[in-house]
Amino acid sequence: MRDSNGNAKVRWFWIWVIASLIFRLILLYFPESVNLSSRPEVSTPLTSIRRLAEGYWLKQSSLSPYAGSMYHGSPLLLTLLGPLTVRRIEGQPDHLLCSLVLVIADVVTAMLIRAAGQSLKMSSTSSLKSIGLHHLLEYSASLLLSEHLPSGDIAALVYLWNPFTIAACVGLSTSAIENLMIVLSLYGGCTRQAPVAAFGWVMATHLSLYPAILIIPVVLLFGYGPDAPPRKLLRQRTKTDSSSSIDKGSVEKDVKNQLRGLNFFSWKPVLHVLFWILLWSSYVLVLCGIYARRHGSLEELFKRTYGFILTIPDLSPNIGVLWYFFAEVFDFFRNFFLIVFHGNVLLMIVPLALRLNHRPCFLAFVYTVITCMLKSYPSVGDSALYLGLLGLFAYELSDMKFSFFLFSGYVGVSLLSPVMHNLWIWRGTGNANFYFATAIAYACLQLVLVVESVSAMLNHDRMLTKLSAAKLQDVKP
């Protein structure tokens, strides 16, 4: 019965995956009626396929793709997707080949999320066994044997069927490729594959700069391993086992091995992944240097890409809050507030890493939400990523507060944002404050999500601590 139930769940999972693929393909054949590629919530100056096509046209005209004010993305992405923007299939929608690449990127990202979820599940099972909480494993198994799916499958389906993910794919936003690189780095960290993790991190940082802070979760994944209960529970458990056992010598040896494997930071795999990061970074830098020699200089490339992200010269409306702020602030204070806003991202890195170092994947999720909230040019594709990663912790965060409020808020912002933009830009019956109000609400929702998810995860760890302490009290003579 267990095998048949598991096979049925796997079958239904793949049915939903195929259905999401078909649904995307149907929408791709009606691009004119959907027309999402012009929406500021979907396409930004960094992720718009139209800007990429403009940059490739400049390149084909023997000009630098950064000569105009349109393209500010990666030269490597321009080399890969640029030729697809000019190829047309007779009787088919424009940019169909680019659309198919983005669909494939979404499906691969979902499969990597699922694989990472399976790795997290194995790590959680091993950790709970090590601290003696077998009844939680039995409860989790009973849930899986009923109607519930594993957290990895839930996260993959949430990512595939998220309206934000579908909108980014149909709207021809290159954020799907950025999300793929970020998830690839986390998958490589969960499975201890240093070349894969390093490649994903280097490419994600190269594409949008902000994923650079994910180096901390990647290092923690290789140093400590995937997410697990607090390590002090293992210390407490092993000390009790060693003090209550008769065969002290063998138990102390087992305790030492457990502490070495699950409690100490391993530098060897960390140095291994850092070596691969250096190797991939050098390779990408060389490729960019070769490209810059043909089209300008390396300094111009960095200024037009990373400098564009950091200085925010394009103040076209988006779902972020920085465009409105810097449109209103005096130029004299501009550099100061640039430092303040970018510093806010860096300010929260260390405290969160110290508190959540035993849960690197969850830490990566929190970092992703924070960067989406404070980045220069956010889009719904960024939200699609962290909402998909949130599904990996569906069981740990089952008691999270304000879940219905957050769901309703995201739905409300998604519906009101196009309306406010239309009232402001096209009908002229509103102003910028109408659209900025939805951006403020969107940022507040992400702030609430960070606070409540971190609080729920810490409460879950406290619950494990109490259960472990009660278990130890029961086994004491």
Side-chain angles (χ1 to χ4, degrees), residues 325-338:
F325 183 85
F326 285 105
E328 299 293 333
V329 75
F330 292 109
D331 289 339
F332 179 78
F333 299 104
R334 181 180 176 85
N335 291 335
F336 170 75
F337 284 107
L338 282 174

Side-chain angles (χ1 to χ4, degrees), residues 190-203:
C190 290
T191 56
R192 296 296 187 92
Q193 299 181 45
V196 176
F199 176 77
W201 181 83
V202 169
M203 290 304 302

Side-chain angles (χ1 to χ4, degrees), residues 52-129:
L52 188 144
E54 177 71 17
Y56 186 73
W57 182 86
L58 291 173
K59 177 186 173 183
Q60 293 297 98
S61 302
S62 300
L63 297 173
S64 171
Y66 305 103
S69 60
M70 292 294 291
Y71 187 65
H72 301 280
S74 162
L76 303 183
L77 193 63
L78 183 69
T79 304
L80 293 176
L81 292 183
L84 301 181
T85 60
V86 297
R87 293 185 180 180
R88 299 288 187 272
I89 301 177
E90 186 176 355
Q92 302 299 329
D94 295 341
H95 304 311
L96 178 62
L97 296 178
C98 290
S99 303
L100 294 178
V101 171
L102 298 179
V103 170
I104 294 172
D106 275 351
V107 175
V108 174
T109 301
M111 295 303 102
L112 291 176
I113 291 176
R114 185 191 186 212
Q118 293 172 348
S119 177
L120 290 177
K121 180 63 179 177
M122 293 175 60
S123 174
S124 176
T125 301
S126 175
S127 300
L128 290 177
K129 284 183 178 180

Side-chain angles (χ1 to χ4, degrees), residues 462-477:
R462 293 189 190 101
M463 182 267 293
L464 293 180
T465 303
K466 292 180 181 179
L467 291 177
S468 179
K471 186 80 172 178
L472 293 176
Q473 290 294 331
D474 293 339
V475 299
K476 280 185 178 179

Side-chain angles (χ1 to χ4, degrees), residues 289-307:
I290 294 173
Y291 187 90
R293 285 178 58 188
R294 300 177 181 176
H295 308 281
S297 63
L298 197 60
E299 180 182 359
E300 180 190 6
L301 189 149
F302 287 155
K303 182 179 179 180
R304 295 285 187 168
T305 54
Y306 303 141

Side-chain angles (χ1 to χ4, degrees), residues 181-260:
M181 294 297 108
I182 293 174
V183 174
L184 184 65
S185 66
L186 297 179
Y187 166 76
C190 290
T191 56
R192 296 296 187 92
Q193 299 181 45
V196 176
F199 176 77
W201 181 83
V202 169
M203 290 304 302
T205 304
H206 171 69
L207 291 175
S208 60
L209 187 61
Y210 287 99
I213 66 173
L214 295 180
I215 185 63
I216 296 179
V218 170
V219 167
L220 292 175
L221 279 170
F222 280 90
Y224 286 127
D227 295 31
R231 281 177 289 278
K232 64 180 181 181
L233 294 183
L234 180 61
R235 296 194 198 100
Q236 186 181 22
R237 179 73 184 181
T238 50
K239 286 180 181 178
T240 304
D241 289 345
S242 61
S243 60
S244 62
S245 177
I246 300 176
D247 190 0
K248 301 260 182 171
S250 61
V251 170
E252 287 178 359
K253 185 176 180 180
D254 294 338
V255 168
K256 190 177 294 185
N257 291 333
Q258 283 184 331
L259 289 174
R260 183 181 298 113

Side-chain angles (χ1 to χ4, degrees), residues 401-411 441 444-445 448-449:
K401 299 178 181 178
F402 305 116
S403 300
F404 181 74
F405 168 77
L406 288 170
F407 175 78
S408 303
Y410 275 101
V411 172
C444 291
L445 288 172
V448 173
L449 177 61

